[in-house]
Amino acid sequence: MNKNKNLKVTPLIGLQWGDEGKGKGVARIASSLSKNDLVTRFQGGNNAGHTIFHKGKSYVFQLIPSGVFGKVKIHLGAGMVINPYAFLKETERIPEEISFLSRLSVSPHAVLVMPTHLFLDSISEKSKGKKKIGSTGKGISPSYTDLVMRRALRIGDISQRDFKNRYKILRDEHKKILKNIFQYKVSDKELRESERNFWQGIKFIRSLIIKNSAELVAETLAKNGKVIAEGAQGTLHDIRFGNYPFVTSSHTFAGGVATGLGIPPALIGGSIGILKAYSTRVGEGPFPTELGGEKSAVWCRDKKVIDEKEKFPHPQIGSMLNSKDEFIQGVALRKAGSEIGAVTGRLRRTGWLDIPLVKFAMKINNTTELVLTKLDVFNNFKKIKVCTHYIIDGKATTKIPFDLSREKIKCIYKSFPIWKGKLSDYHGKPTRLNSRSGELPKEAINYIKYLEKTLGAKIIYVCTGPEEHECIERYW
Ligand code: IMP
């Protein structure tokens, strides 16, 4: 990280549709941070799934900031929606030797996800039929809806005397909506168990440090500490500037840091963008560079991992990746990159890197540095492609139109040759890399340099494997 960012909050934001490897990016950066520094979430809830490999084991964090394995302070910020039981369960999965409770705090302004929010989410999604969004079903949208309707329960309400009563009133309101609008009657049995869990989660939250996000940020900056605001989902999922309505219900881009932590925009510095070397998308919505187009979208919507394994049992990844059939290439890319939803287990749709969309994301995030992830997934490819421009109304452009649907957009692609062998062969080499010593294959360096030039930002880490240390720190 730039030293001159010390007195600013640094947003760390996914530049695509989530699953860019933010967890790993934050974990890598957090490993160099100290106990005076802070990693904080500012939006979303347990719809996120940040996978971190730590000491040979894989962890998926959904609410807890990815800095948990470091020494840093970690915080669940005001703009979040928090499912208390999911939060409790997540903390229980953290190995005992990691002491984190004294470093962890939660904003009183964050919204509580109630059991009935989960019913509302899944039932309303089902009622949309073919027009569904592809929600993770974690109750995110109904929780934010209650916030906007000015009736949500927040973390700070837990200590109020009328909390239980307010809970019951809102729960009954939800039940009424479920019954009257969706003709769904929640049975007492269904609700009993999830409510028991909810109250267990509330008890746990009562034992935690409740702290105002803005105060925590101000205190940290005042002591010259660094602050990382860890985004969840991706920029293209933003409620306003993403591919609406196929978006999540919060502000996922750097603009959300101010409102999600309650800090002045002037305190927010340039952001670090997490960029996967190709694109993926889980759920519905436009995806201009999708390999296999509509066929892939339908396959990933209707099929499960097991179906894909049956249909493509012994993937000849090499030959599939280089198949003439783009759908097959997409399947191979999904397998090579293990592109299966960390939260939902769904097949992620796969496609080439989309420069116009990434440029747009970088612009609205003020991205000044990049972390390039999953470059190693291109091992075994002969060549890969990047969408450099769209053709709209017969003209090449990098401007993003209001309507991104498949029929409206054609992409212009540029091809890149790929190295022979594996980038993992470079693990264990000094992490500081100097191109002059030729430690990475020239094809990889050319690709990295092309991205830097085209996107106008420096790539500070190139990640070539799932472990935290499998990131090469750029040094040229
Ligand atoms: P929701 O946030 O669960 O309502 O889902 C809305 C959309 O965002 C769906 O297309 C989800 O698949 C997508 N989404 C939500 N969280 C994530 C994430 O962490 N990674 C990728 N996609 C996500």
Side-chain angles (χ1 to χ4, degrees), residues 17-19 47-49 133-137 140 233 237 247-248 282-284 346:
W17 288 285
D19 310 315
N47 49 346
I133 303 295
S135 154
T136 57
I140 307 302
Q233 295 81 51
H237 276 136
V247 292
T248 190
V282 63
E284 308 300 309
R346 291 181 288 181

Side-chain angles (χ1 to χ4, degrees), residues 119 186-196:
F119 285 99
V186 187
S187 76
D188 289 346
K189 192 168 164 252
E190 275 178 301
L191 204 52
R192 207 173 302 131
E193 185 174 347
S194 36
E195 285 199 317
R196 202 179 308 127

Side-chain angles (χ1 to χ4, degrees), residues 17-20 22 45-50 121 125 133-142 232-234 237 245-250 281-285 343-344 346 348:
W17 288 285
D19 310 315
E20 298 94 349
K22 288 180 293 292
N46 64 331
N47 49 346
H50 295 169
D121 203 7
E125 178 82 342
I133 303 295
S135 154
T136 57
K138 303 287 180 191
I140 307 302
S141 161
Q233 295 81 51
H237 276 136
F246 304 103
V247 292
T248 190
S249 301
S250 61
R281 172 161 208 166
V282 63
E284 308 300 309
V343 176
T344 56
R346 291 181 288 181
R348 292 181 188 147

Side-chain angles (χ1 to χ4, degrees), residues 50-64:
H50 295 169
T51 309
I52 299 175
F53 282 80
H54 180 75
K55 296 191 175 161
K57 248 187 105 181
S58 156
Y59 298 87
V60 178
F61 292 114
Q62 295 181 252
L63 288 160
I64 297 179

Side-chain angles (χ1 to χ4, degrees), residues 90-101:
E90 202 173 311
T91 58
E92 286 175 357
R93 287 196 295 272
I94 298 171
E96 256 172 45
E97 70 271 17
I98 309 287
S99 69
F100 65 94
L101 284 173

Side-chain angles (χ1 to χ4, degrees), residues 260-389:
L261 296 176
I263 58 171
L267 272 191
I268 301 169
S271 71
I272 298 177
I274 309 289
L275 177 66
K276 188 152 67 179
Y278 50 94
S279 307
T280 59
R281 172 161 208 166
V282 63
E284 308 300 309
F287 186 171
T289 61
E290 183 164 16
L291 276 159
E294 178 74 13
K295 186 172 173 189
S296 155
V298 172
W299 174 263
C300 294
R301 183 181 66 215
D302 296 345
K303 303 293 178 190
K304 300 211 155 48
V305 178
I306 182 98
D307 303 319
E308 188 153 281
K309 273 196 185 139
E310 257 171 39
K311 174 103 188 198
F312 304 100
H314 301 294
Q316 301 285 315
I317 294 251
S319 65
M320 280 172 74
L321 285 173
N322 299 298
S323 160
K324 288 214 163 64
D325 180 339
E326 292 203 333
F327 171 74
I328 300 290
Q329 278 184 19
V331 173
L333 182 53
R334 179 158 49 251
K335 284 177 183 282
S338 304
E339 295 295 351
I340 309 295
V343 176
T344 56
R346 291 181 288 181
L347 299 174
R348 292 181 188 147
R349 300 154 66 192
T350 49
W352 300 123
L353 189 62
D354 187 328
I355 296 286
L357 277 179
V358 171
K359 276 190 169 168
F360 160 76
M362 288 177 66
K363 205 194 257 174
I364 67 170
N365 285 307
N366 182 23
T367 307
T368 50
E369 293 171 319
L370 294 164
V371 173
L372 180 66
T373 63
K374 292 195 137 179
L375 192 59
D376 56 307
V377 172
F378 290 153
N379 297 334
N380 297 317
F381 269 87
K382 286 203 183 83
K383 64 172 193 192
I384 53 137
K385 295 202 278 186
V386 167
C387 165
T388 60
H389 295 82

